[in-house]
């Protein structure tokens, strides 16, 4: 569906990116805006006004984008003519948000009557200042929207502070807290799979499901982001947002509609039903890890402590595995195993729903596991697979696991937009369903904070794992104890 002036109620759009020279803007935001433009999903009058501290003019910024962003647009989508039109939309205002007394230079270039989208792609520590100065310079009105990058704060207290500050300038319905996992086609499809079909939902409960696994594995190390990452770690950077959001979509009750609050109410209930960890639970059911020197791709890579800008005495984790429980009727006693890490064997994000075994073993098993699994792969490929048992050809009655592959790519001969593109279009259209509400975000921190504090109290040091592996041995033991294994 392309942009429609009448339907989307946005005539003139000013997209103002704070952090418009940063890594995220170059790798994701500008390419996503280009793709939205290419497919007619931006109002023709759109202007993209980037800001940053660099003292450069518009021409230099366009050259910067050519150099740092253009290569992140897939070749098959690149069109010289469209690109030339796209860059005419770009503008740049040099602004040190801390040093400058007001945002009047920005106010001078933003058009009267425009719907303003402020994309805050800077460190969250700047969000309060940015919102205060935006408001003081008269840039915020009832049609404005603000997009907040994750992670929002470093704990519940800082998240509340940011939410209070942003909330004093923008109504909750104007705030888009982004978690790009919610923009992934397969994640959105999971809701359709669950609530648009009648065959799965009766099975989607403790009586039929023995465990749920959620893995978000990265092949890359900390790269150039050590300055940020070392103060966060895998728990704050990944579990608090991406993994808990995925867990919510797996575990939520059917919402009464697709209205943003109806969906977010159900996700909030899941977060509130997550069993709190006591110290003994933390010691038993969580694993912190940190990569050591090993192999990444096909070459030798340094350990975390040897990475640039990582303090030698750092105790930050680059890996977390844990067993969690959602204390509801539907999920009573079903373990949810969560795992995320850097420098793992390969980039792989997936959700595995493991169904219970048949009550009686009638057939002989050829090899491997006998349980049915629904595997939802989120990246690098997006696919939904159902693993079922089938008879092995031959005279006997031996069974073997086979995979029914729901190939969404060939089922829909349509382009599948990247998460950031889809979410940016949602912002332009004023659709909040795939963004986090304040109470959701705070509930996630409420659950995560005691675990991080518990690690400190227990003096829980990260366990070593070699780069290029699936994490420390303790992570495998966590599942083996319950008779399960990570599905690779
Ligand atoms: P980054 O590469 O360090 O870029 C930071 C940006 O903020 C730059 O454009 C910088 O401008 C600007 N900035 C810094 N201090 C400023 C100030 N005082 N006044 C005005 N502008 C200032 O960071 P990033 O990786 O793009 O991350 C941005 C946000 O996205 C962070 O909240 C991060 O957690 C989040 N995020 C990033 C990624 C990612 O893959 N990069 C993924 C998920 C979430 P100058 O260039 O002029 O210094």
């Amino acid at each position: 569906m392309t942009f429609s002036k009448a339907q989307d109620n946005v005539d003139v759009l000013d997209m103002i990116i704070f952090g418009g020279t940063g890594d995220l803007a170059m790798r994701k935001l500008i390419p996503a805006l280009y793709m939205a433009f290419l497919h007619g999903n931006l109002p023709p009058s759109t202007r993209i006004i980037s800001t940053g501290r660099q003292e450069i003019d518009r021409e230099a910024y366009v050259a910067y984008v050519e150099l740092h962003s253009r290569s992140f647009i897939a070749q098959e989508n690149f069109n010289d003519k469209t690109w030339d039109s796209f860059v005419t939309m770009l503008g740049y205002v040099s602004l040190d948000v801390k040093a400058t007394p007001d945002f009047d230079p920005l106010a001078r270039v933003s058009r009267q009557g425009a719907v303003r989208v402020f994309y805050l792609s800077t460190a969250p520590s700047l969000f309060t200042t940015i919102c205060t100065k935006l408001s003081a310079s008269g840039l915020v009105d009832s049609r404005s929207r603000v997009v907040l990058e994750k992670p929002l704060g470093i704990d519940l207290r800082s998240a509340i502070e940011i939410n209070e500050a942003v909330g004093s300038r923008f109504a909750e319905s104007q705030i888009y807290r982004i978690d790009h996992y919610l923009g992934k086609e397969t994640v959105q499809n999971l809701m359709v799979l669950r609530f648009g079909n009648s065959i799965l939902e009766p099975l989607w409960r403790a009586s039929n499901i023995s465990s749920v696994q959620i893995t978000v594995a990265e092949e890359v190390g900390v790269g150039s982001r050590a300055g940020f990452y070392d103060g966060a770690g895998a728990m704050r950077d990944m579990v608090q947002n991406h993994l808990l959001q995925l867990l919510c979509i797996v575990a939520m009750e059917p919402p009464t509609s697709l209205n943003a609050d109806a969906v977010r109410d159900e996700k909030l209930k899941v977060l509130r039903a997550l069993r709190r960890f006591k110290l003994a639970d933390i010691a038993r059911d969580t694993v912190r890890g940190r990569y050591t020197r090993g192999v990444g791709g096909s070459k030798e890579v340094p350990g975390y402590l040897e990475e640039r800008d990582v303090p030698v005495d750092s105790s930050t984790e680059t890996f977390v595995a844990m067993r969690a429980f959602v204390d509801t009727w539907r999920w009573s006693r079903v373990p949810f195993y969560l795992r995320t890490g850097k420098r793992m064997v390969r980039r792989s994000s997936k959700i595995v729903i493991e169904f219970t075994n048949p009550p009686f073993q009638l057939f002989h098993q050829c090899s491997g596991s006998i349980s049915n699994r629904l595997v939802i792969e989120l990246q690098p490929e997006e696919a939904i697979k159902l693993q079922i048992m089938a008879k092995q050809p031959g005279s006997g009655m031996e069974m073997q696991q086979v995979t029914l592959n729901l190939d969404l790519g060939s089922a829909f001969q349509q382009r599948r937009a990247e998460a950031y593109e889809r979410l940016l279009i949602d912002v332009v259209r004023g659709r909040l369903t795939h963004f986090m509400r304040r109470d959701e975000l705070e509930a996630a921190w409420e659950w995560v904070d005691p675990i991080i504090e518990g690690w400190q109290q227990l003096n829980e040091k990260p366990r070593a794992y070699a780069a290029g592996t699936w994490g420390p041995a303790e992570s495998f033991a966590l599942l083996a104890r319950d008779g399960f294994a990570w599905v690779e």
Side-chain angles (χ1 to χ4, degrees):
M1 195 199 299
T2 52
F3 174 79
S4 142
K5 189 168 149 182
Q7 187 186 315
D8 297 313
N9 198 23
V10 176
D11 187 1
V12 181
L13 175 71
D14 279 356
M15 172 77 64
I16 298 164
I17 306 178
F18 287 88
T21 52
D23 176 69
L24 187 73
M26 290 302 110
R27 286 193 305 110
K28 297 288 181 189
L29 305 183
I30 296 288
L33 287 165
Y34 165 79
M35 291 302 290
F37 174 66
L38 176 69
H39 292 278
N41 285 319
L42 290 182
S45 63
T46 299
R47 280 216 317 232
I48 299 162
I49 306 165
S50 284
T51 78
R53 285 171 300 187
Q54 293 182 42
E55 305 234 349
I56 52 176
D57 60 13
R58 197 197 95 81
E59 281 63 41
Y61 181 68
V62 169
Y64 185 90
V65 167
E66 291 267 1
L67 189 65
H68 296 286
S69 191
R70 189 175 152 154
S71 59
F72 290 103
I73 299 167
Q75 200 52 41
E76 69 267 22
N77 296 319
F78 199 80
N79 173 311
D80 281 316
K81 221 169 130 216
T82 313
W83 178 256
D84 289 346
S85 309
F86 175 72
V87 295
T88 63
M89 294 177 155
L90 295 178
Y92 182 80
V93 175
S94 171
L95 209 62
D96 182 331
V97 301
K98 278 206 242 170
T100 184
D102 55 50
F103 286 175
D104 290 355
L106 198 54
R108 280 196 287 279
V109 297
S110 180
R111 291 163 294 179
Q112 281 296 322
V115 170
R116 297 190 187 101
V117 171
F118 305 109
Y119 199 116
L120 308 198
S121 178
T122 65
S125 55
L126 298 179
F127 290 1
T128 301
T129 310
I130 294 174
C131 290
T132 308
K133 291 184 181 173
L134 279 174
S135 172
S137 295
L139 282 156
V140 180
D141 62 30
S142 61
R143 298 176 73 207
S144 308
R145 291 149 208 189
V146 64
V147 186
L148 307 178
E149 256 304 332
K150 70 106 211 179
L152 209 63
I154 50 159
D155 54 14
L156 177 62
R157 198 175 57 82
S158 56
I160 290 176
E161 269 172 30
I162 295 171
N163 280 330
E164 287 289 332
V166 179
S168 68
R169 314 289 169 184
F170 295 87
E172 182 62 31
S173 59
Q174 297 175 284
I175 304 174
Y176 294 73
R177 293 179 191 83
I178 213 159
D179 183 324
H180 72 272
Y181 270 64
L182 296 180
K184 286 184 181 292
E185 189 74 65
T186 323
V187 174
Q188 296 183 0
N189 216 338
L190 180 54
M191 280 181 62
V192 179
L193 194 74
R194 285 194 57 195
F195 306 129
N197 296 290
S198 56
I199 56 166
L200 281 177
E201 198 46 29
L203 299 175
W204 209 263
R205 55 197 68 249
S207 46
N208 305 94
I209 292 178
S210 57
S211 74
V212 175
Q213 294 182 17
I214 303 177
T215 293
V216 177
E218 296 179 284
E219 191 180 341
V220 293
V222 70
S224 59
R225 296 183 72 219
F228 155 77
Y229 191 85
D230 197 67
M235 190 67 157
R236 292 184 175 99
D237 190 41
M238 303 297 282
V239 178
Q240 187 274 342
N241 36 75
H242 302 324
L243 278 94
L244 286 187
Q245 284 296 316
L246 294 177
L247 183 150
C248 283
I249 293 178
V250 172
M252 70 197 262
E253 295 299 317
T256 51
S257 76
L258 279 187
N259 168 287
D261 280 336
V263 172
R264 298 185 306 176
D265 285 347
E266 295 307 332
K267 289 190 341 202
L268 178 65
K269 283 186 207 160
V270 175
L271 292 166
R272 293 206 168 136
L274 275 170
R275 190 181 298 167
R276 279 12 189 185
F277 280 72
K278 302 198 180 73
L279 275 186
D281 305 322
I282 296 170
R284 190 189 55 236
D285 289 343
T286 71
V287 178
R288 296 181 84 204
R290 180 171 64 205
Y291 62 85
T292 56
R293 178 174 287 272
V295 179
S298 52
K299 60 179 196 311
E300 199 182 322
V301 292
Y304 180 72
L305 290 182
E306 300 159 300
E307 299 270 20
R308 188 159 51 93
D309 297 335
V310 172
V312 283
D313 59 348
S314 166
S315 62
T316 299
E317 79 282 351
T318 62
F319 174 96
V320 172
M322 61 198 305
R323 184 178 73 153
F325 290 94
V326 179
D327 283 334
T328 60
W329 187 303
R330 185 188 287 265
W331 294 112
S332 175
R333 291 193 288 276
V334 176
F336 282 73
Y337 300 104
L338 311 181
R339 172 176 66 157
T340 183
K342 289 195 178 293
R343 282 272 183 243
M344 298 182 71
V345 178
R346 62 176 171 273
R347 178 170 174 246
S348 166
S349 298
K350 67 171 94 167
I351 300 168
V352 179
I353 312 291
E354 184 134 355
F355 291 94
T356 48
N357 287 333
F360 177 67
Q361 178 77 8
L362 187 57
F363 302 106
H364 216 76
Q365 166 195 356
C366 245
S367 61
S369 142
I370 56 160
S371 66
N372 297 132
R373 289 191 192 118
L374 183 70
V375 180
I376 299 139
E377 293 184 354
L378 308 173
Q379 60 187 25
E381 303 303 327
E382 299 197 25
I384 298 174
K385 295 174 179 168
L386 183 62
Q387 297 181 342
I388 56 169
M389 303 310 289
K391 179 186 169 302
Q392 219 204 21
S395 57
M397 285 296 279
E398 289 179 329
M399 59 178 186
Q400 193 178 330
Q401 200 167 49
V402 290
T403 302
L404 283 178
N405 193 348
L406 177 58
D407 184 349
L408 296 166
S410 51
F412 300 96
Q413 300 285 327
Q414 254 167 290
R415 182 183 76 91
R416 294 153 76 75
E418 284 266 337
Y420 270 100
E421 179 188 343
R422 200 172 294 120
L423 292 173
L424 275 163
I425 295 170
D426 278 355
V427 175
V428 173
R429 296 195 169 146
R431 296 192 297 218
L432 277 156
T433 304
H434 302 300
F435 296 86
M436 280 181 289
R437 204 170 54 193
R438 173 178 178 164
D439 47 10
E440 258 184 275
L441 179 100
E442 292 177 4
W445 278 122
E446 255 175 63
W447 186 73
V448 159
D449 271 2
I451 302 172
I452 298 174
E453 283 158 23
W455 283 339
Q456 279 159 6
Q457 283 178 42
L458 293 165
N459 200 17
E460 190 69 50
K461 298 269 184 291
R463 318 282 163 136
Y465 64 97
T469 65
W470 287 115
E474 289 80 356
S475 155
F476 297 92
L478 182 72
L479 273 71
R481 206 177 61 194
D482 297 340
F484 296 111
W486 292 110
V487 176
E488 310 300 5

